[in-house]
Amino acid sequence: MSEAGRFEFEFAPSYARAARPFGIKPSNAWVAIDDLLFDARFGPWRVTTPLTNITDVAVTGPYRFFKTAGSARLGFTDRGLTFATNGKRGVLITFATPVTGLDPLGVLHHPELTVTVAEIDRLVSVLGQRITGAREAASGSRAGT
Protein backbone atom coordinates (compact mmCIF):
# COMPACT_ATOMS: atom_id res chain seq x y z
CA MET A 1 0.00 0.00 0.00
CA SER A 2 1.34 3.42 -0.89
CA GLU A 3 2.01 6.15 1.64
CA ALA A 4 -0.67 8.28 -0.05
CA GLY A 5 -3.17 5.62 0.96
CA ARG A 6 -2.08 5.31 4.61
CA PHE A 7 -3.82 7.18 7.42
CA GLU A 8 -2.66 7.37 11.02
CA PHE A 9 -5.09 7.60 13.92
CA GLU A 10 -5.25 10.84 15.91
CA PHE A 11 -4.65 9.89 19.55
CA ALA A 12 -6.00 12.21 22.25
CA PRO A 13 -4.00 11.70 25.49
CA SER A 14 -6.99 10.33 27.43
CA TYR A 15 -7.83 7.86 24.64
CA ALA A 16 -4.17 6.79 24.35
CA ARG A 17 -4.14 5.93 28.08
CA ALA A 18 -7.39 3.97 27.75
CA ALA A 19 -6.12 2.10 24.66
CA ARG A 20 -2.72 1.10 26.07
CA PRO A 21 -3.95 -1.91 28.14
CA PHE A 22 -5.46 -3.37 24.95
CA GLY A 23 -2.17 -3.14 23.05
CA ILE A 24 -3.33 -0.25 20.86
CA LYS A 25 -0.65 2.32 20.02
CA PRO A 26 0.19 4.58 17.07
CA SER A 27 2.51 1.98 15.53
CA ASN A 28 -0.30 -0.59 15.17
CA ALA A 29 -3.32 1.62 14.51
CA TRP A 30 -3.81 2.80 10.93
CA VAL A 31 -5.99 2.70 7.83
CA ALA A 32 -4.50 1.82 4.46
CA ILE A 33 -6.13 1.94 1.04
CA ASP A 34 -4.81 0.73 -2.28
CA ASP A 35 -6.51 0.32 -5.66
CA LEU A 36 -8.50 -2.72 -4.50
CA LEU A 37 -8.56 -3.02 -0.69
CA PHE A 38 -9.51 -1.13 2.44
CA ASP A 39 -7.48 -2.27 5.48
CA ALA A 40 -7.94 -0.91 9.02
CA ARG A 41 -5.80 -2.07 11.94
CA PHE A 42 -6.46 -1.19 15.58
CA GLY A 43 -4.05 -3.07 17.81
CA PRO A 44 -5.14 -6.74 17.67
CA TRP A 45 -8.27 -5.96 15.61
CA ARG A 46 -8.38 -5.70 11.84
CA VAL A 47 -10.95 -5.09 9.09
CA THR A 48 -9.99 -5.84 5.49
CA THR A 49 -12.45 -5.68 2.59
CA PRO A 50 -12.51 -4.91 -1.12
CA LEU A 51 -13.23 -1.26 -1.96
CA THR A 52 -16.21 -2.49 -3.98
CA ASN A 53 -17.80 -3.57 -0.66
CA ILE A 54 -17.90 0.05 0.59
CA THR A 55 -21.21 1.75 -0.16
CA ASP A 56 -20.87 5.04 1.73
CA VAL A 57 -18.53 7.22 3.77
CA ALA A 58 -19.60 10.03 6.10
CA VAL A 59 -18.05 12.25 8.75
CA THR A 60 -19.56 11.70 12.21
CA GLY A 61 -18.97 12.83 15.79
CA PRO A 62 -18.45 14.00 18.43
CA TYR A 63 -18.34 10.84 20.54
CA ARG A 64 -18.69 10.19 24.25
CA PHE A 65 -15.49 8.99 25.91
CA PHE A 66 -17.15 6.20 27.89
CA LYS A 67 -18.75 4.79 24.72
CA THR A 68 -15.67 4.88 22.49
CA ALA A 69 -12.41 4.84 24.49
CA GLY A 70 -10.26 1.77 25.05
CA SER A 71 -10.63 -1.32 22.89
CA ALA A 72 -12.51 -1.75 19.62
CA ARG A 73 -16.18 -1.12 20.38
CA LEU A 74 -19.28 -2.94 19.23
CA GLY A 75 -22.55 -1.07 18.79
CA PHE A 76 -25.10 -3.42 20.34
CA THR A 77 -28.06 -1.97 18.46
CA ASP A 78 -26.52 -1.98 14.95
CA ARG A 79 -23.42 -4.26 15.32
CA GLY A 80 -21.28 -1.38 14.02
CA LEU A 81 -17.61 -1.43 14.96
CA THR A 82 -15.66 1.58 16.23
CA PHE A 83 -11.90 2.13 16.27
CA ALA A 84 -11.68 5.42 18.22
CA THR A 85 -8.66 7.35 19.46
CA ASN A 86 -10.37 10.68 20.12
CA GLY A 87 -13.87 11.99 20.68
CA LYS A 88 -13.90 14.79 18.10
CA ARG A 89 -14.97 13.21 14.83
CA GLY A 90 -14.36 10.24 12.59
CA VAL A 91 -15.28 8.56 9.33
CA LEU A 92 -18.21 6.15 9.21
CA ILE A 93 -17.68 3.54 6.48
CA THR A 94 -20.71 1.48 5.43
CA PHE A 95 -20.36 -1.95 3.82
CA ALA A 96 -22.65 -3.75 1.34
CA THR A 97 -21.71 -7.10 2.87
CA PRO A 98 -20.94 -6.92 6.62
CA VAL A 99 -17.30 -7.56 7.55
CA THR A 100 -15.54 -9.38 10.36
CA GLY A 101 -13.19 -7.57 12.69
CA LEU A 102 -14.01 -7.84 16.38
CA ASP A 103 -14.00 -11.51 17.29
CA PRO A 104 -11.21 -13.90 16.28
CA LEU A 105 -13.66 -16.58 15.09
CA GLY A 106 -15.40 -14.23 12.64
CA VAL A 107 -18.87 -14.95 14.03
CA LEU A 108 -19.84 -11.28 14.32
CA HIS A 109 -20.26 -9.32 11.11
CA HIS A 110 -20.31 -5.52 11.10
CA PRO A 111 -22.31 -3.43 8.59
CA GLU A 112 -20.16 -0.38 9.33
CA LEU A 113 -16.89 0.79 10.83
CA THR A 114 -16.00 4.16 12.35
CA VAL A 115 -12.34 5.26 12.43
CA THR A 116 -10.86 8.42 13.98
CA VAL A 117 -7.90 9.09 11.73
CA ALA A 118 -5.95 12.35 11.81
CA GLU A 119 -6.79 13.31 8.23
CA ILE A 120 -10.57 12.89 8.16
CA ASP A 121 -11.24 14.94 5.02
CA ARG A 122 -8.41 13.30 3.07
CA LEU A 123 -9.68 9.82 3.99
CA VAL A 124 -13.21 10.69 2.84
CA SER A 125 -11.83 12.10 -0.42
CA VAL A 126 -9.46 9.19 -1.14
CA LEU A 127 -12.08 6.58 -0.25
CA GLY A 128 -14.65 8.29 -2.43
CA GLN A 129 -12.25 8.36 -5.39
CA ARG A 130 -11.03 4.80 -4.90
CA ILE A 131 -14.45 3.22 -4.44
CA THR A 132 -15.72 5.03 -7.54
CA GLY A 133 -12.70 3.78 -9.50
CA ALA A 134 -13.08 0.23 -8.18
CA ARG A 135 -16.77 0.18 -9.08
CA GLU A 136 -16.06 1.49 -12.58
CA ALA A 137 -13.34 -1.15 -13.08
CA ALA A 138 -15.64 -3.92 -11.80
CA SER A 139 -18.54 -2.87 -14.03
CA GLY A 140 -16.16 -2.53 -17.00
CA SER A 141 -14.82 -6.05 -16.50
CA ARG A 142 -18.36 -7.43 -16.24
CA ALA A 143 -19.40 -5.58 -19.39
CA GLY A 144 -16.52 -7.15 -21.32
CA THR A 145 -17.45 -10.72 -20.38
Side-chain angles (χ1 to χ4, degrees):
M1 302 227 175
S2 69
E3 281 302 308
R6 187 170 169 109
F7 300 82
E8 305 300 327
F9 277 77
E10 180 180 342
F11 280 82
S14 58
Y15 276 78
R17 284 190 297 278
R20 198 171 301 125
F22 300 98
I24 302 160
K25 53 193 175 195
S27 64
N28 67 8
W30 42 259
V31 171
I33 301 163
D34 66 17
D35 292 335
L36 301 174
L37 291 175
F38 169 88
D39 187 23
R41 170 106 187 258
F42 194 64
W45 296 279
R46 194 168 202 163
V47 169
T48 302
T49 192
L51 291 176
T52 54
N53 191 36
I54 298 173
T55 60
D56 194 27
V57 292
V59 176
T60 62
Y63 315 112
R64 292 190 174 119
F65 180 83
F66 71 91
K67 288 188 172 186
T68 57
S71 67
R73 296 298 186 111
L74 173 67
F76 288 106
T77 56
D78 63 2
R79 294 182 342 274
L81 186 58
T82 299
F83 294 170
T85 55
N86 70 73
K88 294 186 288 187
R89 61 187 199 139
V91 179
L92 172 66
I93 302 146
T94 306
F95 306 108
T97 302
V99 298
T100 59
L102 186 62
D103 70 295
L105 299 176
V107 174
L108 289 173
H109 290 82
H110 313 285
E112 58 193 29
L113 171 67
T114 300
V115 295
T116 57
V117 296
E119 297 177 275
I120 300 272
D121 297 329
R122 187 170 80 89
L123 177 58
V124 169
S125 175
V126 168
L127 261 181
Q129 292 169 6
R130 300 279 170 97
I131 62 178
T132 299
R135 283 190 189 130
E136 288 171 357
S139 66
S141 67
R142 281 194 301 265
T145 57

